[in-house]
Amino acid sequence: QLVESGGGSVQPGGSLRLSCAASGFAVSAYAMSWARRPPGQRLEWVAGISGGDGSPVYSDSVKGRFLIWRDNAKNTVHLQLDSLRTEDTAIYYCAKHPSDIVRWGIADQMGQGTQVTVST
């Protein structure tokens, strides 16, 4: 099970930290990702972290502004969102991949999502 938290409303330029609490498996052993669905648009994968060595990967749209990491002791994956823009407004989902490799589009678990709204 994946449970996201930390969403909210911020002004452009602001920051948020999202968390994904996992149960039933160890986040250190599997690749994990964050994806988002802006209003009326398709799902976009934005950040992933591989199992094992924890190598991160980011989409071009968030590179340099978002940071993904995991806390193995708390079995949680985090996403730090900085320098937020209005176009970052979306429902953000945490996802588990079936192996330790990040393969966007292939997930075997996904949470219910948390809303992030960026507006003036």
Side-chain angles (χ1 to χ4, degrees), residues 14 20 59 66 87 92 98-99 105 109 111:
C20 172
S59 68
F66 291 9
E87 55 263 39
Y92 284 71
S99 77
Q109 287 188 43

Side-chain angles (χ1 to χ4, degrees), residues 6-10 14-18 79-82 84 115-117:
S9 295
V10 296
S15 297
L16 284 172
R17 178 175 295 182
L18 308 183
L79 185 68
Q80 178 71 31
L81 292 66
D82 293 326
L84 282 163
Q115 177 71 47
V116 171
T117 302

Side-chain angles (χ1 to χ4, degrees), residues 71-111:
D71 183 334
N72 294 339
K74 296 184 178 179
N75 213 34
T76 300
V77 179
H78 301 283
L79 185 68
Q80 178 71 31
L81 292 66
D82 293 326
S83 302
L84 282 163
R85 306 167 180 169
T86 55
E87 55 263 39
D88 295 317
T89 295
I91 299 174
Y92 284 71
Y93 300 91
C94 175
K96 171 187 172 291
H97 299 285
S99 77
D100 60 350
I101 300 172
V102 175
R103 288 196 174 98
W104 287 344
I106 302 175
D108 56 6
Q109 287 188 43
M110 187 167 281

